[in-house]
Amino acid sequence: MRFVFFTDVHLLEREDSVKGFELCIESMLSHEPEVLINGGDLGVPEGATQTYKEMIARIGLPVHMVNGNHEICNGSLDPERAGEFSNSFDHAGVHFVMLDLVRAFEPTEEHPWNWYFTADEKNLKWLEEDLAGLDADVPIILTSHVPLSTSFPQRMGQVPGMEFPVNEATNAKEVLEMLSRFRNVATLHGHDHENSRHRWRHIQILTTGAVAGNWWRNGLDSPNQFGEPQGYRVIDVDSRSGEITNRYHAFQPHQDIEIAPATREGRRFVNVIDGGSAAVVHVEGVGRLSALDPWGQENKRLSTHYYELPEECPPEMDVEVEFEDGRTVEASLLFEDSD
Ligand SMILES: [Fe+2]
């Protein structure tokens, strides 16, 4: 069974967002998915939600969506009712959970956002009841706007563990604990406008770059913050084994890259757009590169899909990457002068 996850469309926020989302829909449908899942954040401007609904109505496939923080900002989600929209459904033997974590917040000087994320007691109880009685062999796909396991606050210079977090969710561990009795589980998230994949125990945590990239700042050429193309994730669930495999795709050919050079403050990295701790990155003449330690103080403002090169390294190199699903990709990289 194949489905597609896309997130953070941010319609009407800048030029070309509607044209871009049209291209994205066409590209997503070319993979012949049975279901589409949207991770939230439709866009703040008036009309964004309506425009989205009209565009989605033409698709002719089920499209499920979880609320993002922008659904509070744009007024389409009644702040009083935030958190009441968790739901689940079954499709082709897979159990899908849409977990509604965003809540309204009265902004203060310390907390200028009008939202935060939590899996509160009500969410946890609902989830416990929803999962009760399901066999451990049933593949589980859980979607929430904000990632349930993430180094993003740390990497972006925030203090992890905020009382009212804006880049993580309170009680996220309790959610993951509940999911961990299932053999095949993946969680899908947006919000961060980056690709970041790792495992929490055996659970695949798949944070996915935005359709809007860097909020359409440069129209149809607005890659995400760590070079990820504007794109979406195609996910396959094996009907016999329940195994979950997936891959990130660009929706425009000119952004379709999987491996690129990256330089930050004199440091050089192989940027594997949808890499993660399980990807094997090998550089000819240098050897295997390690994934970046996302909790390292020296790695702030960097990506979990950067693989650091040693200082003494020629500017031209051949790279081979073996992704988690066994697929291999080769590339020749040329580093221009560092920034
Ligand atoms: Fe968001």
Side-chain angles (χ1 to χ4, degrees), residues 8 41 69 145 191:
D8 298 86
D41 273 9
N69 45 300
H145 182 64
H191 187 59

Side-chain angles (χ1 to χ4, degrees), residues 268 284 286 309 311-317 333 335:
R268 285 198 262 171
E284 185 76 39
V286 174
L309 285 156
E311 264 176 52
E312 300 304 321
C313 189
E316 252 181 293
M317 65 192 69
L333 301 187
F335 283 82

Side-chain angles (χ1 to χ4, degrees), residues 4-6 21 23-33 36 59 211 232 234 251:
V4 165
F5 174 71
F6 66 100
F21 189 44
L23 292 172
C24 182
I25 290 172
E26 196 184 319
S27 177
M28 291 192 293
L29 295 182
S30 74
H31 297 278
E32 301 184 347
L36 299 178
I59 290 180
V211 172
Y232 53 85
V234 175
F251 61 80

Side-chain angles (χ1 to χ4, degrees), residues 151-158 194 225-226 300-302:
S151 56
F152 191 80
Q154 158 78 13
R155 282 184 289 118
M156 296 303 143
Q158 281 182 328
E194 67 166 7
Q225 59 175 328
F226 295 116
K300 293 218 158 124
R301 301 266 158 204
L302 296 177

Side-chain angles (χ1 to χ4, degrees), residues 99-137:
L99 198 60
D100 191 16
L101 300 181
V102 70
R103 300 289 185 281
F105 192 91
E106 196 57 54
T108 61
E109 212 166 291
E110 273 170 23
H111 185 116
W113 307 275
N114 64 350
W115 45 272
Y116 72 103
F117 297 106
T118 181
D120 58 19
E121 289 304 319
K122 209 170 137 192
N123 276 141
L124 294 175
K125 195 164 178 299
W126 175 84
L127 184 63
E128 196 180 359
E129 283 170 11
D130 183 72
L131 299 176
L134 287 177
D135 194 277
D137 284 332

